[in-house]
Each structure stands twice: as C-alpha cells, then as structure tokens.
PDB file of all heavy atoms in Angstrom:
ATOM      1  N   LEU A 801      12.654   7.733   0.699  1.00 97.00           N
ATOM      2  CA  LEU A 801      11.517   7.481  -0.191  1.00 97.00           C
ATOM      3  C   LEU A 801      11.950   6.699  -1.428  1.00 97.00           C
ATOM      4  O   LEU A 801      11.237   5.800  -1.895  1.00 97.00           O
ATOM      5  CB  LEU A 801      10.879   8.799  -0.624  1.00 97.00           C
ATOM      6  CG  LEU A 801      10.029   9.536   0.413  1.00 97.00           C
ATOM      7  CD1 LEU A 801       9.626  10.910  -0.105  1.00 97.00           C
ATOM      8  CD2 LEU A 801       8.780   8.734   0.776  1.00 97.00           C
ATOM      9  N   GLU A 802      13.109   7.041  -1.966  1.00 97.00           N
ATOM     10  CA  GLU A 802      13.595   6.365  -3.174  1.00 97.00           C
ATOM     11  C   GLU A 802      13.846   4.875  -2.919  1.00 97.00           C
ATOM     12  O   GLU A 802      13.636   4.041  -3.806  1.00 97.00           O
ATOM     13  CB  GLU A 802      14.880   7.040  -3.660  1.00 97.00           C
ATOM     14  CG  GLU A 802      14.634   8.410  -4.276  1.00 97.00           C
ATOM     15  CD  GLU A 802      15.929   9.165  -4.563  1.00 97.00           C
ATOM     16  OE1 GLU A 802      16.965   8.828  -3.948  1.00 97.00           O
ATOM     17  OE2 GLU A 802      15.892  10.095  -5.381  1.00 97.00           O
ATOM     18  N   LYS A 803      14.283   4.528  -1.730  1.00 97.00           N
ATOM     19  CA  LYS A 803      14.575   3.134  -1.396  1.00 97.00           C
ATOM     20  C   LYS A 803      13.333   2.367  -0.931  1.00 97.00           C
ATOM     21  O   LYS A 803      13.349   1.136  -0.868  1.00 97.00           O
ATOM     22  CB  LYS A 803      15.634   3.078  -0.292  1.00 97.00           C
ATOM     23  CG  LYS A 803      17.001   3.605  -0.715  1.00 97.00           C
ATOM     24  CD  LYS A 803      17.961   3.605   0.466  1.00 97.00           C
ATOM     25  CE  LYS A 803      19.324   4.165   0.084  1.00 97.00           C
ATOM     26  NZ  LYS A 803      20.237   4.229   1.256  1.00 97.00           N
ATOM     27  N   ALA A 804      12.277   3.094  -0.610  1.00 96.00           N
ATOM     28  CA  ALA A 804      11.106   2.474   0.026  1.00 96.00           C
ATOM     29  C   ALA A 804      10.258   1.686  -0.962  1.00 96.00           C
ATOM     30  O   ALA A 804      10.031   2.114  -2.091  1.00 96.00           O
ATOM     31  CB  ALA A 804      10.260   3.551   0.695  1.00 96.00           C
ATOM     32  N   SER A 805       9.763   0.543  -0.519  1.00 97.00           N
ATOM     33  CA  SER A 805       8.774  -0.222  -1.284  1.00 97.00           C
ATOM     34  C   SER A 805       7.423   0.470  -1.146  1.00 97.00           C
ATOM     35  O   SER A 805       7.246   1.340  -0.283  1.00 97.00           O
ATOM     36  CB  SER A 805       8.683  -1.638  -0.725  1.00 97.00           C
ATOM     37  OG  SER A 805       8.177  -1.597   0.611  1.00 97.00           O
ATOM     38  N   PRO A 806       6.431   0.113  -1.975  1.00 95.00           N
ATOM     39  CA  PRO A 806       5.098   0.724  -1.827  1.00 95.00           C
ATOM     40  C   PRO A 806       4.524   0.592  -0.422  1.00 95.00           C
ATOM     41  O   PRO A 806       3.922   1.532   0.096  1.00 95.00           O
ATOM     42  CB  PRO A 806       4.250  -0.044  -2.851  1.00 95.00           C
ATOM     43  CG  PRO A 806       5.226  -0.436  -3.916  1.00 95.00           C
ATOM     44  CD  PRO A 806       6.505  -0.740  -3.175  1.00 95.00           C
ATOM     45  N   SER A 807       4.728  -0.554   0.224  1.00 96.00           N
ATOM     46  CA  SER A 807       4.182  -0.733   1.576  1.00 96.00           C
ATOM     47  C   SER A 807       4.891   0.176   2.582  1.00 96.00           C
ATOM     48  O   SER A 807       4.265   0.714   3.500  1.00 96.00           O
ATOM     49  CB  SER A 807       4.288  -2.198   2.010  1.00 96.00           C
ATOM     50  OG  SER A 807       5.646  -2.601   2.051  1.00 96.00           O
ATOM     51  N   VAL A 808       6.196   0.373   2.398  1.00 97.00           N
ATOM     52  CA  VAL A 808       6.941   1.261   3.300  1.00 97.00           C
ATOM     53  C   VAL A 808       6.526   2.711   3.064  1.00 97.00           C
ATOM     54  O   VAL A 808       6.403   3.497   4.015  1.00 97.00           O
ATOM     55  CB  VAL A 808       8.461   1.078   3.125  1.00 97.00           C
ATOM     56  CG1 VAL A 808       9.238   2.139   3.905  1.00 97.00           C
ATOM     57  CG2 VAL A 808       8.874  -0.317   3.577  1.00 97.00           C
ATOM     58  N   ARG A 809       6.302   3.075   1.808  1.00 96.00           N
ATOM     59  CA  ARG A 809       5.831   4.452   1.526  1.00 96.00           C
ATOM     60  C   ARG A 809       4.496   4.706   2.209  1.00 96.00           C
ATOM     61  O   ARG A 809       4.233   5.801   2.705  1.00 96.00           O
ATOM     62  CB  ARG A 809       5.723   4.695   0.023  1.00 96.00           C
ATOM     63  CG  ARG A 809       7.039   4.928  -0.686  1.00 96.00           C
ATOM     64  CD  ARG A 809       6.846   5.684  -1.999  1.00 96.00           C
ATOM     65  NE  ARG A 809       5.860   5.059  -2.859  1.00 96.00           N
ATOM     66  CZ  ARG A 809       6.142   4.200  -3.824  1.00 96.00           C
ATOM     67  NH1 ARG A 809       7.405   3.857  -4.041  1.00 96.00           N
ATOM     68  NH2 ARG A 809       5.192   3.683  -4.574  1.00 96.00           N
ATOM     69  N   ARG A 810       3.633   3.686   2.226  1.00 95.00           N
ATOM     70  CA  ARG A 810       2.337   3.854   2.916  1.00 95.00           C
ATOM     71  C   ARG A 810       2.557   4.077   4.411  1.00 95.00           C
ATOM     72  O   ARG A 810       1.830   4.850   5.042  1.00 95.00           O
ATOM     73  CB  ARG A 810       1.448   2.640   2.659  1.00 95.00           C
ATOM     74  CG  ARG A 810       0.885   2.591   1.244  1.00 95.00           C
ATOM     75  CD  ARG A 810      -0.250   1.586   1.114  1.00 95.00           C
ATOM     76  NE  ARG A 810       0.207   0.214   1.248  1.00 95.00           N
ATOM     77  CZ  ARG A 810       0.647  -0.531   0.235  1.00 95.00           C
ATOM     78  NH1 ARG A 810       0.707  -0.026  -0.988  1.00 95.00           N
ATOM     79  NH2 ARG A 810       1.033  -1.784   0.436  1.00 95.00           N
ATOM     80  N   MET A 811       3.543   3.390   4.978  1.00 96.00           N
ATOM     81  CA  MET A 811       3.857   3.583   6.398  1.00 96.00           C
ATOM     82  C   MET A 811       4.394   5.003   6.652  1.00 96.00           C
ATOM     83  O   MET A 811       4.074   5.633   7.657  1.00 96.00           O
ATOM     84  CB  MET A 811       4.889   2.540   6.851  1.00 96.00           C
ATOM     85  CG  MET A 811       4.333   1.134   6.928  1.00 96.00           C
ATOM     86  SD  MET A 811       5.626  -0.103   7.248  1.00 96.00           S
ATOM     87  CE  MET A 811       6.223   0.440   8.835  1.00 96.00           C
ATOM     88  N   ILE A 812       5.197   5.514   5.716  1.00 97.00           N
ATOM     89  CA  ILE A 812       5.723   6.874   5.843  1.00 97.00           C
ATOM     90  C   ILE A 812       4.580   7.882   5.764  1.00 97.00           C
ATOM     91  O   ILE A 812       4.540   8.857   6.520  1.00 97.00           O
ATOM     92  CB  ILE A 812       6.772   7.142   4.745  1.00 97.00           C
ATOM     93  CG1 ILE A 812       8.009   6.259   4.965  1.00 97.00           C
ATOM     94  CG2 ILE A 812       7.164   8.623   4.719  1.00 97.00           C
ATOM     95  CD1 ILE A 812       8.997   6.280   3.814  1.00 97.00           C
ATOM     96  N   ALA A 813       3.639   7.634   4.847  1.00 95.00           N
ATOM     97  CA  ALA A 813       2.478   8.524   4.735  1.00 95.00           C
ATOM     98  C   ALA A 813       1.662   8.511   6.023  1.00 95.00           C
ATOM     99  O   ALA A 813       1.188   9.552   6.485  1.00 95.00           O
ATOM    100  CB  ALA A 813       1.608   8.107   3.552  1.00 95.00           C
ATOM    101  N   GLU A 814       1.531   7.337   6.620  1.00 94.00           N
ATOM    102  CA  GLU A 814       0.780   7.227   7.874  1.00 94.00           C
ATOM    103  C   GLU A 814       1.494   7.977   8.995  1.00 94.00           C
ATOM    104  O   GLU A 814       0.843   8.538   9.887  1.00 94.00           O
ATOM    105  CB  GLU A 814       0.604   5.754   8.245  1.00 94.00           C
ATOM    106  CG  GLU A 814      -0.229   5.515   9.497  1.00 94.00           C
ATOM    107  CD  GLU A 814      -1.615   6.140   9.425  1.00 94.00           C
ATOM    108  OE1 GLU A 814      -2.237   6.097   8.342  1.00 94.00           O
ATOM    109  OE2 GLU A 814      -2.071   6.698  10.445  1.00 94.00           O
ATOM    110  N   ARG A 815       2.802   8.013   8.938  1.00 93.00           N
ATOM    111  CA  ARG A 815       3.594   8.766   9.917  1.00 93.00           C
ATOM    112  C   ARG A 815       3.186  10.236   9.915  1.00 93.00           C
ATOM    113  O   ARG A 815       3.043  10.870  10.962  1.00 93.00           O
ATOM    114  CB  ARG A 815       5.073   8.620   9.542  1.00 93.00           C
ATOM    115  CG  ARG A 815       6.064   9.206  10.506  1.00 93.00           C
ATOM    116  CD  ARG A 815       7.459   8.721  10.142  1.00 93.00           C
ATOM    117  NE  ARG A 815       8.046   9.409   8.994  1.00 93.00           N
ATOM    118  CZ  ARG A 815       9.086   8.946   8.292  1.00 93.00           C
ATOM    119  NH1 ARG A 815       9.615   7.771   8.601  1.00 93.00           N
ATOM    120  NH2 ARG A 815       9.582   9.638   7.284  1.00 93.00           N
ATOM    121  N   GLY A 816       2.969  10.793   8.731  1.00 93.00           N
ATOM    122  CA  GLY A 816       2.527  12.178   8.642  1.00 93.00           C
ATOM    123  C   GLY A 816       1.049  12.333   8.931  1.00 93.00           C
ATOM    124  O   GLY A 816       0.630  13.274   9.610  1.00 93.00           O
ATOM    125  N   ARG A 817       0.259  11.371   8.429  1.00 93.00           N
ATOM    126  CA  ARG A 817      -1.195  11.440   8.637  1.00 93.00           C
ATOM    127  C   ARG A 817      -1.545  11.503  10.116  1.00 93.00           C
ATOM    128  O   ARG A 817      -2.466  12.201  10.522  1.00 93.00           O
ATOM    129  CB  ARG A 817      -1.866  10.229   7.989  1.00 93.00           C
ATOM    130  CG  ARG A 817      -3.400  10.266   8.048  1.00 93.00           C
ATOM    131  CD  ARG A 817      -4.016   8.961   7.617  1.00 93.00           C
ATOM    132  NE  ARG A 817      -4.064   8.795   6.174  1.00 93.00           N
ATOM    133  CZ  ARG A 817      -3.360   7.914   5.486  1.00 93.00           C
ATOM    134  NH1 ARG A 817      -2.497   7.113   6.118  1.00 93.00           N
ATOM    135  NH2 ARG A 817      -3.481   7.829   4.173  1.00 93.00           N
ATOM    136  N   ALA A 818      -0.776  10.767  10.934  1.00 93.00           N
ATOM    137  CA  ALA A 818      -1.058  10.714  12.368  1.00 93.00           C
ATOM    138  C   ALA A 818      -0.880  12.064  13.054  1.00 93.00           C
ATOM    139  O   ALA A 818      -1.423  12.291  14.141  1.00 93.00           O
ATOM    140  CB  ALA A 818      -0.136   9.683  13.025  1.00 93.00           C
ATOM    141  N   LEU A 819      -0.138  12.982  12.428  1.00 93.00           N
ATOM    142  CA  LEU A 819       0.082  14.305  13.016  1.00 93.00           C
ATOM    143  C   LEU A 819      -1.067  15.263  12.733  1.00 93.00           C
ATOM    144  O   LEU A 819      -1.221  16.284  13.404  1.00 93.00           O
ATOM    145  CB  LEU A 819       1.389  14.909  12.469  1.00 93.00           C
ATOM    146  CG  LEU A 819       2.671  14.109  12.727  1.00 93.00           C
ATOM    147  CD1 LEU A 819       3.846  14.787  12.045  1.00 93.00           C
ATOM    148  CD2 LEU A 819       2.924  13.970  14.222  1.00 93.00           C
ATOM    149  N   PHE A 820      -1.876  14.956  11.707  1.00 92.00           N
ATOM    150  CA  PHE A 820      -2.971  15.848  11.315  1.00 92.00           C
ATOM    151  C   PHE A 820      -4.107  15.765  12.333  1.00 92.00           C
ATOM    152  O   PHE A 820      -4.441  14.672  12.803  1.00 92.00           O
ATOM    153  CB  PHE A 820      -3.527  15.450   9.944  1.00 92.00           C
ATOM    154  CG  PHE A 820      -2.734  15.949   8.773  1.00 92.00           C
ATOM    155  CD1 PHE A 820      -1.436  15.512   8.545  1.00 92.00           C
ATOM    156  CD2 PHE A 820      -3.284  16.846   7.884  1.00 92.00           C
ATOM    157  CE1 PHE A 820      -0.700  15.950   7.465  1.00 92.00           C
ATOM    158  CE2 PHE A 820      -2.564  17.302   6.786  1.00 92.00           C
ATOM    159  CZ  PHE A 820      -1.268  16.859   6.576  1.00 92.00           C
ATOM    160  N   PRO A 821      -4.728  16.902  12.675  1.00 86.00           N
ATOM    161  CA  PRO A 821      -5.929  16.834  13.517  1.00 86.00           C
ATOM    162  C   PRO A 821      -7.023  16.030  12.808  1.00 86.00           C
ATOM    163  O   PRO A 821      -7.153  16.096  11.584  1.00 86.00           O
ATOM    164  CB  PRO A 821      -6.350  18.305  13.651  1.00 86.00           C
ATOM    165  CG  PRO A 821      -5.150  19.105  13.274  1.00 86.00           C
ATOM    166  CD  PRO A 821      -4.385  18.280  12.291  1.00 86.00           C
ATOM    167  N   SER A 822      -7.771  15.270  13.564  1.00 82.00           N
ATOM    168  CA  SER A 822      -8.872  14.489  12.988  1.00 82.00           C
ATOM    169  C   SER A 822     -10.139  15.324  12.923  1.00 82.00           C
ATOM    170  O   SER A 822     -10.442  16.092  13.843  1.00 82.00           O
ATOM    171  CB  SER A 822      -9.139  13.241  13.831  1.00 82.00           C
ATOM    172  OG  SER A 822      -8.065  12.344  13.740  1.00 82.00           O
ATOM    173  N   ILE A 823     -10.866  15.161  11.843  1.00 80.00           N
ATOM    174  CA  ILE A 823     -12.183  15.764  11.711  1.00 80.00           C
ATOM    175  C   ILE A 823     -13.187  14.626  11.592  1.00 80.00           C
ATOM    176  O   ILE A 823     -13.041  13.759  10.715  1.00 80.00           O
ATOM    177  CB  ILE A 823     -12.260  16.678  10.479  1.00 80.00           C
ATOM    178  CG1 ILE A 823     -11.306  17.872  10.647  1.00 80.00           C
ATOM    179  CG2 ILE A 823     -13.679  17.175  10.246  1.00 80.00           C
ATOM    180  CD1 ILE A 823     -11.216  18.757   9.438  1.00 80.00           C
ATOM    181  N   LEU A 824     -14.162  14.591  12.475  1.00 80.00           N
ATOM    182  CA  LEU A 824     -15.192  13.546  12.438  1.00 80.00           C
ATOM    183  C   LEU A 824     -16.439  14.139  11.807  1.00 80.00           C
ATOM    184  O   LEU A 824     -17.157  14.931  12.416  1.00 80.00           O
ATOM    185  CB  LEU A 824     -15.466  13.030  13.855  1.00 80.00           C
ATOM    186  CG  LEU A 824     -14.251  12.389  14.539  1.00 80.00           C
ATOM    187  CD1 LEU A 824     -14.575  11.991  15.964  1.00 80.00           C
ATOM    188  CD2 LEU A 824     -13.750  11.178  13.747  1.00 80.00           C
ATOM    189  N   ASP A 825     -16.663  13.769  10.561  1.00 78.00           N
ATOM    190  CA  ASP A 825     -17.723  14.360   9.743  1.00 78.00           C
ATOM    191  C   ASP A 825     -18.980  13.494   9.822  1.00 78.00           C
ATOM    192  O   ASP A 825     -18.943  12.321   9.456  1.00 78.00           O
ATOM    193  CB  ASP A 825     -17.231  14.471   8.302  1.00 78.00           C
ATOM    194  CG  ASP A 825     -18.138  15.317   7.435  1.00 78.00           C
ATOM    195  OD1 ASP A 825     -18.876  16.134   7.998  1.00 78.00           O
ATOM    196  OD2 ASP A 825     -18.105  15.156   6.199  1.00 78.00           O
ATOM    197  N   VAL A 826     -20.075  14.058  10.321  1.00 86.00           N
ATOM    198  CA  VAL A 826     -21.337  13.325  10.453  1.00 86.00           C
ATOM    199  C   VAL A 826     -22.219  13.624   9.243  1.00 86.00           C
ATOM    200  O   VAL A 826     -22.471  14.790   8.923  1.00 86.00           O
ATOM    201  CB  VAL A 826     -22.085  13.721  11.746  1.00 86.00           C
ATOM    202  CG1 VAL A 826     -23.365  12.890  11.890  1.00 86.00           C
ATOM    203  CG2 VAL A 826     -21.182  13.535  12.954  1.00 86.00           C
ATOM    204  N   LYS A 827     -22.674  12.561   8.577  1.00 86.00           N
ATOM    205  CA  LYS A 827     -23.526  12.727   7.389  1.00 86.00           C
ATOM    206  C   LYS A 827     -24.575  11.619   7.354  1.00 86.00           C
ATOM    207  O   LYS A 827     -24.372  10.541   7.922  1.00 86.00           O
ATOM    208  CB  LYS A 827     -22.687  12.673   6.110  1.00 86.00           C
ATOM    209  CG  LYS A 827     -21.831  13.911   5.884  1.00 86.00           C
ATOM    210  CD  LYS A 827     -21.128  13.835   4.538  1.00 86.00           C
ATOM    211  CE  LYS A 827     -20.315  15.099   4.282  1.00 86.00           C
ATOM    212  NZ  LYS A 827     -19.603  15.026   2.990  1.00 86.00           N
TER     213      LYS A 827
END
C-alpha cells in the first residue's frame, strides 16, 4: 500500500470489493 499509486490502491480496493456479496437494491 505504501508503494502504491492512487490508481493501484483503487485496484487493491477492487480486489477486496469483488469478494463481497452483491446486494441489488431496487428503488
């Protein structure tokens, strides 16, 4: 994380986000 650029940090965040169950909220 310390070496990562902002764009790489976003990719790391997406790495974790992809593991979360999706909730499809209808409104």
